[in-house]
Amino acid sequence: MQVSENTNDDFLFIDDSDEDEILDEGSADTWKVLIVDDDPEIHSVTQLALSDLTVLGRKLEYLHAYSGEEANTIIAQDNDIVLVLLDVVMETDDAGLNVVKHIREELNKQDIRIVLRTGQPGYAPEESVIKDYDINDYKTKTELTRRKLVTTVYAAIRSYQQITTVNESRKGLEKIINGSANLLELHSVQEFGQGVLDQVKPLLHGFESGLFCARGHGIIEGADDLDLYVLAQENRSQDFVNQKLDSVASPSCAEQVNFCFQQKKHITTDESLTLYLTRGGYRAVIFVKLSAPMSELDEQLIEVFLSNIAIGYENVHLFQKLRNAAYKDWLTEKPNRLEFLNRLDKFANGGEQDVAALVDINHFSDINDGLGQEVGNQLLLAVASRLSDLGDDVVVARVGADVFGLIGPESLLCPEKLASLFSTPFEAGEQSLPINVCTGLCRKADSGSGGVKVFSQIGIALNLAKKDADVHYKYFRPEMEEETAWRLGMIRQLRTDFAADRLELWYQPQLDLVSGKVTGAEALLRWRTEDGNFVSPAVFIPLAEYSGLIIDIGDWVVEQACKLIKQLESQGFDDVGISVNVSIPQFRNDQFVKKVISTTENYQVEPSKLELEITENILMDDPQMVIDSLAKLKDRGISIALDDFGTGYSSLSYLQKLPIDRLKVDRSFINEIAQPDKSLLADTIIGLGKQLNLNVIAEGIEDKDQEQHLREQQCDEVQGFYYAKPMPAEEFLAFLKGKSES
Ligand code: C2E
Ligand code: MG
Ligand code: MG
């Protein structure tokens, strides 16, 4: 371009510029400039004057209007116009000013730059108009030399660009603010990640696809490693969500994300952007694939965005923690009772699984007390992990201290599979612990309608399984509910009647087979309800055991027995002892031994006159504990008898270890003892007792033949209806008196 300093002419736009610095490199994009003038010559001269101009890398493109009205139409239609070179006086004196008003007020286009031009100085608009309507420049046509025009246009377009940049970043910030607010409402880390990608997408012009990655531990079920997982994705064809990043993403992407995570800083390349997000120890990486390099504005916005959402990221983690605390077991990280109830709800309401179960570890508290809580915890972890071996389709939850909840298909969740699972010991710390469990199960067909209902149904089955010495599992059957209701009613009644002193202790004499003398009596509970009917001990003793009521009742029995011993002594029968029956729950009570001893002391009873009858089954539970307790009682001189011998499970090795004085041969062996070839078992038991140097008593003798046979076997003592049925204390006294007189 040629330079001439000609400023003094009417000739418009004389070439007067050599300022090459405003001529930039060209690009395909253009700036649209609208020339509005009723004089066609001005159009061509203007175009000519600006013909070489390039502003910020773009050439100019011209639109033409020859009246104010035409200008309005074009501006309304074309959104890309950046600058209007506007003649003031056209069809009317203020046609140009009307266009200005139209642009700013009606079309509400604030970005468009406006340069007013007029032939006559007299038509200059008020200064206020220039200010209010944001007019870039006002020049008379004579003032506008080419150089000035170029400068004016250049400045106007630059300011247009600045305004739009500011506007864009304002819009970006608005997006960030709205986005951050939205993100605060999201409660899962995955949702949050998705929200972040949704917000990042419009902020980055070259956004092609994105991944939101973080450690899955505590967020994704079963993710117990420290690896990065994909928590959310955007514009990806395959579903990566909740999967390990390394196993789904391309190696370069995985490497970049891992690197970013380790280095704790963003990584920018022309093709991708890897952003590091952190707050409060919670970290994430956002990977964005770009179709075009990021602009500076993009970069600034993304920085602001990240610092804005970091707090949301921390929040969502804290929320997840709360959720975990509410729905996850702290120790095993399995669903807890609350969550199990939710799963049961689904199970009961058409879920796909067939069976739900509760598995209870037998004597867990003994392990916990004996080996310490740490070992107890490790055992629970080992059990949780082994239960998980049932398969991915089986839900494993911890619903109580030592109770696990399971839901699964019948093929995987059945008593046989569980039995084999628990057939080998569990490693807990240094220990290798064999454990037994009881299981309650409920098939979908039998289940009630809600989670809570099913839970109580499985609970019923579990409780029955615990009571069953043979099989350690039970499937829930609808009748069980009625039985349970009946049982609870009975227990309530028993409790009331015991408190109202309606239980009685009756006594069945025991006699020396040689001398025929009464050596003692077995104390047997009788329960006469308010209506006068007796409930059999075979019915109510198990209920008392089940409810724990047997502990108080048992104390009362021992006390009654001691009282009677004293009463007998006072009446001259000082060689008559009393046997009382003792149940398993009494032994489990750690106060039991102490209480028995103190009762004998309180009543000043000669300890050997009190005998405790235990059954073999008592040993199944915790043999060592029972043996220790018995030894303590024995030390004090209290007698011990092994009741119902031969019907239970005890092994001979235990029999030798037990500090017992007497063997009671069970009635079932005596029944047929007099029949030919049916006495073998009874004879063997009696022989065994003799060999172990124990006193042997047979119970349930009903006739003379049975007595005769026992005499031949040299059985020491007898008890049975043949001699006397159980009777109240006064009758027993009378019975004794009658005997001593005869
Ligand atoms: P057990 O200890 O084996 O008591 C003997 C049972 O056999 C008693 O039944 C007694 O009445 C019955 N019996 C005795 N001789 C004969 C006979 O010749 N023929 C027949 N058919 N039966 C005979 P009972 O009183 O119904 O007691 C049943 C069970 O209830 C007892 O069996 C015992 O295990 C339990 N029990 C009774 N009282 C108590 C108690 O105070 N505490 C505990 N823990 N259990 C008790
Ligand atoms: Mg007995
Ligand atoms: Mg018995």
Side-chain angles (χ1 to χ4, degrees):
M1 246 186 289
Q2 268 304 300
V3 184
S4 124
E5 261 304 319
N6 189 351
T7 55
N8 167 27
D9 54 22
D10 304 14
F11 181 50
L12 283 170
F13 317 135
I14 292 166
D15 188 350
D16 59 349
S17 166
D18 63 348
E19 293 168 23
D20 283 5
E21 71 269 17
I22 60 173
L23 301 175
D24 302 341
E25 297 271 305
S27 91
D29 282 335
T30 57
W31 300 112
K32 278 193 184 173
V33 176
L34 174 65
I35 303 172
V36 188
D37 209 303
D38 53 355
D39 178 356
E41 203 192 332
I42 296 292
H43 286 259
S44 46
V45 187
T46 303
Q47 226 170 306
L48 188 68
L50 299 175
S51 58
D52 284 336
L53 185 60
T54 307
V55 184
L56 302 167
R58 301 192 204 172
K59 287 203 177 308
L60 307 188
E61 181 186 340
Y62 302 97
L63 301 173
H64 301 276
Y66 298 90
S67 68
E69 215 167 298
E70 196 185 350
N72 285 345
T73 319
I74 293 175
I75 294 164
Q77 283 165 358
D78 195 323
N79 284 325
D80 297 332
I81 295 168
V82 301
L83 172 64
V84 182
L85 296 172
L86 185 59
D87 191 13
V88 177
V89 183
M90 289 179 288
E91 60 264 47
T92 58
D93 285 355
D94 58 355
L97 291 179
N98 287 336
V99 173
V100 172
K101 281 187 195 160
H102 185 74
I103 294 173
R104 296 290 190 238
E105 285 175 0
E106 270 146 67
L107 300 177
N108 198 22
K109 292 191 174 187
Q110 311 300 338
D111 309 356
I112 293 184
R113 299 297 85 207
I114 301 168
V115 172
L116 285 179
R117 299 191 289 186
T118 178
Q120 297 97 335
Y123 289 92
E126 304 281 324
E127 214 182 304
S128 65
V129 172
I130 294 187
K131 253 205 229 143
D132 291 351
Y133 291 109
D134 186 17
I135 288 163
N136 280 61
D137 220 338
Y138 168 76
K139 289 276 182 318
T140 58
K141 290 178 185 168
T142 44
E143 277 178 290
L144 273 179
T145 59
R146 176 179 185 270
R147 199 178 92 167
K148 278 193 182 136
L149 180 68
V150 166
T151 318
T152 303
V153 167
Y154 188 86
I157 294 179
R158 266 198 80 119
S159 91
Y160 171 86
Q161 223 248 353
Q162 279 159 358
I163 286 168
T164 49
T165 305
V166 168
N167 276 348
E168 253 181 63
S169 68
R170 183 178 49 77
K171 278 186 206 148
L173 288 171
E174 267 170 22
K175 277 183 202 158
I176 290 170
I177 289 162
N178 293 337
S180 311
N182 289 339
L183 287 175
L184 284 179
E185 287 165 16
L186 300 178
H187 293 324
S188 89
V189 182
Q190 282 94 335
E191 271 180 333
F192 183 86
Q194 192 59 54
V196 168
L197 292 177
D198 288 348
Q199 306 300 333
V200 165
K201 199 170 155 181
L203 285 181
L204 293 174
H205 290 93
F207 185 97
E208 205 173 280
S209 68
L211 293 177
F212 187 95
C213 310
R215 283 191 171 143
H217 183 75
I219 295 165
I220 297 170
E221 184 114 15
D224 48 9
D225 49 21
L226 288 179
D227 286 353
L228 292 174
Y229 284 70
V230 176
L231 299 187
Q233 63 180 35
E234 186 66 33
N235 289 3
R236 288 269 174 173
S237 50
Q238 277 170 299
D239 188 6
F240 289 176
V241 173
N242 289 348
Q243 309 216 45
K244 240 182 225 193
L245 174 77
D246 288 348
S247 59
V248 289
S250 71
S252 66
C253 163
E255 193 181 316
Q256 198 151 321
V257 171
N258 278 303
F259 188 70
C260 169
F261 194 75
Q262 282 151 18
Q263 298 296 309
K264 304 183 177 178
K265 60 179 187 208
H266 312 322
I267 302 168
T268 318
T269 72
D270 281 354
E271 292 89 39
S272 70
L273 175 63
T274 315
L275 299 164
Y276 182 69
L277 174 64
T278 180
R279 192 181 150 113
Y282 301 106
R283 314 196 283 152
V285 174
I286 304 155
F287 177 82
V288 178
K289 196 158 179 250
L290 296 170
S291 57
M294 275 208 301
S295 71
E296 205 175 313
L297 177 63
D298 286 346
E299 248 171 75
Q300 287 162 354
L301 284 177
I302 213 82
E303 250 331 302
V304 178
F305 177 70
L306 285 179
S307 58
N308 242 284
I309 61 163
I311 187 160
Y313 189 57
E314 185 184 17
N315 280 347
V316 85
H317 268 280
L318 296 176
F319 191 85
Q320 178 97 17
K321 257 194 164 170
L322 274 180
R323 228 191 96 83
N324 285 353
Y327 293 106
K328 258 193 189 176
D329 171 45
W330 66 273
L331 177 67
T332 60
E333 299 203 345
K334 301 279 177 201
N336 65 7
R337 186 192 187 95
L338 207 59
E339 178 61 12
F340 186 64
L341 286 173
N342 289 338
R343 307 282 181 103
L344 276 183
D345 246 341
K346 287 190 197 128
F347 165 78
N349 295 308
E352 279 168 15
Q353 310 282 47
D354 319 312
V355 194
L358 290 177
V359 173
D360 188 328
I361 303 176
N362 296 346
H363 311 311
F364 176 74
S365 58
D366 294 345
I367 295 172
N368 218 31
D369 297 345
L371 300 175
Q373 244 179 27
E374 187 48 38
V375 175
N377 286 349
Q378 287 180 3
L379 175 63
L380 291 171
L381 284 169
V383 171
S385 138
R386 202 175 293 174
L387 284 171
S388 302
D389 291 345
L390 285 170
D392 288 346
D393 288 344
V394 179
V395 174
V396 178
R398 180 164 167 248
V399 301
D402 58 349
V403 184
F404 289 87
L406 304 168
I407 305 173
E410 193 139 32
S411 57
L412 300 177
L413 184 49
C414 56
E416 297 74 37
K417 291 253 158 120
L418 285 171
S420 78
L421 217 56
F422 287 95
S423 63
T424 50
F426 288 77
E427 304 304 319
E430 317 247 284
Q431 320 279 335
S432 176
L433 302 169
I435 59 169
N436 294 313
V437 294
C438 286
T439 308
L441 302 108
C442 181
R443 293 194 177 93
K444 172 118 94 241
D446 292 325
S447 76
S449 55
V452 176
K453 179 78 187 164
V454 185
F455 194 85
S456 88
Q457 292 174 326
I458 316 172
I460 288 172
L462 176 64
N463 278 331
L464 293 172
K466 285 191 200 170
K467 302 294 165 226
D468 195 317
D470 299 321
V471 270
H472 297 294
Y473 70 88
K474 278 271 184 301
Y475 276 96
F476 171 79
R477 282 176 293 101
E479 312 85 88
M480 286 178 179
E481 260 167 325
E482 277 168 37
E483 291 158 16
T484 303
W486 171 84
R487 200 175 316 121
L488 291 178
M490 287 295 274
I491 289 169
R492 198 170 304 129
Q493 179 81 45
L494 178 60
R495 185 167 283 132
T496 323
D497 283 1
F498 174 57
D501 234 358
R502 236 173 257 134
L503 289 193
E504 297 166 30
L505 205 53
W506 286 21
Y507 300 89
Q508 184 175 33
Q510 298 171 334
L511 298 89
D512 184 293
L513 198 47
V514 178
S515 67
K517 271 188 71 182
V518 178
T519 55
E522 177 176 6
L524 293 160
L525 271 167
R526 292 294 175 262
W527 176 21
R528 204 197 306 242
T529 55
E530 217 173 356
D531 51 21
N533 294 323
F534 282 101
V535 181
S536 161
V539 171
F540 77 82
I541 296 290
L543 294 178
E545 290 173 349
Y546 184 87
S547 61
L549 210 52
I550 195 69
I551 293 179
D552 288 343
I553 295 178
D555 290 346
W556 178 80
V557 167
V558 171
E559 204 171 314
Q560 295 304 108
C562 288
K563 269 188 198 165
L564 184 67
I565 292 170
K566 275 328 253 187
Q567 200 184 347
L568 293 176
E569 277 173 12
S570 72
Q571 308 251 344
F573 302 106
D574 49 11
D575 49 0
V576 179
I578 299 291
S579 308
V580 298
N581 294 284
V582 180
S583 302
I584 296 177
Q586 292 174 270
F587 260 98
R588 279 209 206 113
N589 185 290
D590 50 9
Q591 296 299 307
F592 175 69
V593 171
K594 235 190 277 171
K595 273 192 292 192
V596 171
I597 293 169
S598 72
T599 309
T600 55
E601 287 170 354
N602 288 348
Y603 287 92
Q604 296 177 330
V605 162
E606 154 82 49
S608 66
K609 284 192 184 170
L610 180 70
E611 183 176 67
L612 303 183
E613 289 191 9
I614 57 162
T615 62
E616 296 164 278
N617 295 347
I618 235 170
L619 288 170
M620 294 204 359
D621 219 39
D622 186 347
Q624 200 49 53
M625 183 268 291
V626 173
I627 291 169
D628 292 347
S629 302
L630 291 178
K632 280 184 206 148
L633 291 162
K634 192 74 215 288
D635 260 7
R636 290 304 186 108
I638 291 164
S639 304
I640 314 287
L642 192 56
D643 201 358
D644 304 345
F645 186 72
T647 60
Y649 301 87
S650 68
S651 66
L652 287 176
S653 65
Y654 278 127
L655 193 61
Q656 272 175 312
K657 283 189 202 162
L658 283 178
I660 44 175
D661 307 274
R662 277 222 278 201
L663 261 193
K664 285 191 88 172
V665 185
D666 191 64
R667 200 175 76 216
S668 56
F669 301 109
I670 307 301
N671 267 340
E672 303 181 326
I673 201 174
Q675 296 171 29
D677 304 330
K678 293 279 174 76
S679 64
L680 184 65
L681 276 173
D683 298 350
T684 311
I685 292 169
I686 296 168
L688 180 72
K690 300 255 106 188
Q691 246 176 339
L692 291 169
N693 252 336
L694 300 173
N695 178 304
V696 180
I697 176 168
E699 63 179 332
I701 290 94
E702 293 184 348
D703 58 44
K704 201 167 170 41
D705 295 345
Q706 290 167 342
E707 187 195 69
Q708 186 50 40
H709 186 94
L710 290 167
R711 226 184 267 282
E712 285 160 16
Q713 293 297 316
Q714 294 176 331
C715 180
D716 302 304
E717 286 169 80
V718 283
Q719 173 187 343
F721 292 175
Y722 180 58
Y723 310 98
K725 289 195 169 177
M727 57 191 89
E730 313 79 66
E731 279 181 38
F732 178 55
L733 249 168
F735 178 84
L736 279 176
K737 282 176 186 159
K739 273 270 170 188
S740 65
E741 282 160 14
S742 62

